[in-house]
Amino acid sequence: MKRLGCFLILVILLSANTTKSQNITSRDTRVWLGYVTQSRVSNRFSLWNDSHWVSHGFGILRTGASYHFNNKANVVTTLGYAHLWIYPAPGNQTFRPEHRAWGQTTATHKLNDFNFFHRLRYEARFKRTIKEDHLLNEFNFNYRLRYLFQTKYNLTQQKDAKQKFYALLSDEVAYNLGKEIKSGFRLDQNRISVGIGCAVKNVSFQLAYLNQLQESATANTFAMNHHAQFLVFHNFDFRKKHNPL
């Protein structure tokens, strides 16, 4: 119970930090649905696919290939491509397409009943230009760096349980970089989420509240979005026992 209490204290501290944003000019309530898969094809390689839809926000399809280092920290590096459809600004009708080359490295470790997950992601973003609610054959380009820290607390103590429940807390911060970004480096957004999940065999179902603080075009002004988030994680294993790779 002491460990669970520490977990709840972290939730309160991070949530309080989010509400102290300098100047919030808009707020929105959204639904976030996502499906994430990892398909192991050998001991070293797997395929990554995920899709997300966020009301009033965006839709994304992302794919990639992963290399597993199979070390103690379970380090995995992935390279891939994503395509987005970004919702139009209020009063407009044109969705903005975005092509995104991306790569990430993840690592995990455990401490008692806590599981920790780290992810560093790089994105090269090619966003179509829109003028007077019409797409132009031009692109804006910038880089983005994202770091995610997540911790899960095991609520189910029985190791042989068919259903294992957990609580989760995560924080992800993202920064834009590039010539088109003012000063070449700028905060993009911060996402804090807290929720619960259930793992059944190779599938996990996760329900969370996600608070997104996103910097607007005007410096030091922010949009705050509240999300009800439901994610499904599905792991497939196509390895053959005699495959050494």
Side-chain angles (χ1 to χ4, degrees), residues 32 48 50 52 58 60 62 82 84 98 100-106 117-125 142-149 170-177 185-191 210 212 229:
W32 184 316
W48 172 294
D50 70 292
H52 298 264
F58 62 89
I60 182 172
R62 185 164 32 214
L84 286 85
E98 178 181 331
R100 182 182 295 180
W102 66 282
Q104 67 179 30
T105 294
T106 63
F117 176 80
H118 306 265
R119 184 182 72 198
L120 181 63
R121 178 177 287 177
Y122 159 86
E123 297 168 329
R125 309 179 66 186
N142 72 275
Y143 303 101
R144 186 165 70 173
L145 289 178
R146 300 164 55 175
Y147 171 70
L148 169 70
F149 171 77
S170 69
D171 187 17
E172 182 177 27
V173 61
Y175 287 90
N176 287 319
L177 302 90
F185 184 83
R186 187 178 182 185
L187 173 69
D188 176 51
Q189 57 184 281
N190 189 70
R191 299 173 179 174
L210 185 149
Q212 178 191 42
Q229 185 185 64

Side-chain angles (χ1 to χ4, degrees), residues 19-116:
T19 59
K20 294 194 300 185
S21 304
Q22 298 92 332
N23 186 13
I24 299 174
T25 57
S26 66
R27 299 177 185 268
D28 197 5
T29 302
R30 301 178 175 181
V31 174
W32 184 316
L33 303 177
Y35 179 59
V36 183
T37 69
Q38 177 180 268
S39 302
R40 293 294 293 268
V41 296
S42 73
N43 288 340
R44 291 288 184 180
F45 295 97
S46 67
L47 300 177
W48 172 294
N49 289 284
D50 70 292
S51 58
H52 298 264
W53 172 77
V54 179
S55 60
H56 313 149
F58 62 89
I60 182 172
L61 295 175
R62 185 164 32 214
T63 187
S66 302
Y67 180 81
H68 298 251
F69 290 87
N70 292 335
N71 51 15
K72 186 177 181 180
N74 193 27
V75 175
V76 181
T77 294
T78 306
L79 298 176
Y81 165 79
H83 189 83
L84 286 85
W85 296 265
I86 301 173
Y87 271 64
N92 294 338
Q93 299 181 343
T94 303
F95 284 74
R96 183 192 303 273
E98 178 181 331
H99 301 279
R100 182 182 295 180
W102 66 282
Q104 67 179 30
T105 294
T106 63
T108 61
H109 59 96
K110 296 182 179 181
L111 178 63
N112 298 321
D113 292 324
F114 290 92
N115 296 290
F116 299 98

